[in-house]
Amino acid sequence: KTVEILNRKTKPDAHIYVFTSWKVYPQFVNIINKYFEVRNILIWDKGNHGAGDLRYSWGNQYEMIIFATKGEKTLNKRRGDVITIPRLSSSNMIHPTQKPVELIKELLSVSAQKADVICDPFMGSGSTIKAAKEYGDLNFIGIEIDRMVFEKAKAFI
């Protein structure tokens, strides 16, 4: 439902980024492809792996980012599809899936143009909104259903 709403509400030429894991990637791509054109899968190399399953799985050191477009919006610059920015240490996180502001700024540098509206429908920690504010000349909308998480995000932003 969220992707359908984003398609209706985004301007004719838009970019979207969806963070995902290998476990749900196929389902996400199928849903996104109904409304946007998936162009790339980006890899966020976090620099080290998380704890996770210590006995039976390799440590997850990356996160996948689905990059899709609506219309023909071009890139501000072309870069490689592996982004190496260290993950935040858990002691510095206010949300379990918090992304570094620097990572979001890198995505903005490729896609954002002056006065664009940046929307994060699952705001969590508020990293996307903070990055948009720091990037400058952007408008932003952050949506978070959990009131306590929203208040923490507001303080972080």
Side-chain angles (χ1 to χ4, degrees), residues 86-142:
R87 78 172 65 218
L88 299 170
S89 73
S90 56
S91 62
N92 293 333
M93 294 171 63
I94 61 171
H95 189 274
T97 62
Q98 184 170 346
K99 308 298 185 270
V101 171
E102 295 76 24
L103 173 62
I104 305 303
K105 283 184 181 177
E106 182 61 32
L107 301 178
L108 291 173
S109 76
V110 171
S111 292
Q113 296 175 352
K114 185 176 181 178
D116 275 354
V117 177
I118 308 303
C119 178
D120 187 344
F122 304 100
M123 188 170 73
S125 67
S127 292
T128 298
I129 305 308
K130 184 171 182 147
K133 281 182 75 170
E134 291 179 5
Y135 193 80
D137 292 328
L138 298 174
N139 301 297
F140 42 84
I141 299 168

Side-chain angles (χ1 to χ4, degrees), residues 9-94:
K9 298 293 183 179
T10 53
K11 64 185 181 180
D13 293 315
H15 290 171
I16 69 164
Y17 293 90
V18 179
F19 287 82
T20 187
S21 77
W22 65 270
K23 288 183 179 182
V24 295
Y25 163 77
Q27 295 92 330
F28 275 38
V29 165
N30 287 338
I31 293 166
I32 292 166
N33 261 331
K34 290 179 184 177
Y35 304 98
F36 296 88
E37 183 176 345
V38 173
R39 300 281 186 164
N40 285 85
I41 301 305
L42 311 177
I43 299 298
W44 169 33
D45 175 1
K46 300 177 182 185
N48 61 18
H49 61 80
D53 178 349
L54 301 177
R55 295 184 58 197
Y56 299 105
S57 296
W58 290 56
N60 292 328
Q61 185 172 322
Y62 72 93
E63 199 163 326
M64 300 167 78
I65 307 168
I66 300 167
F67 170 64
T69 61
K70 177 181 176 181
E72 298 296 324
K73 182 176 180 179
T74 59
L75 303 174
N76 295 336
K77 64 180 180 180
R78 191 161 191 255
R79 68 169 322 273
D81 59 5
V82 176
I83 303 169
T84 303
I85 293 178
R87 78 172 65 218
L88 299 170
S89 73
S90 56
S91 62
N92 293 333
M93 294 171 63
I94 61 171

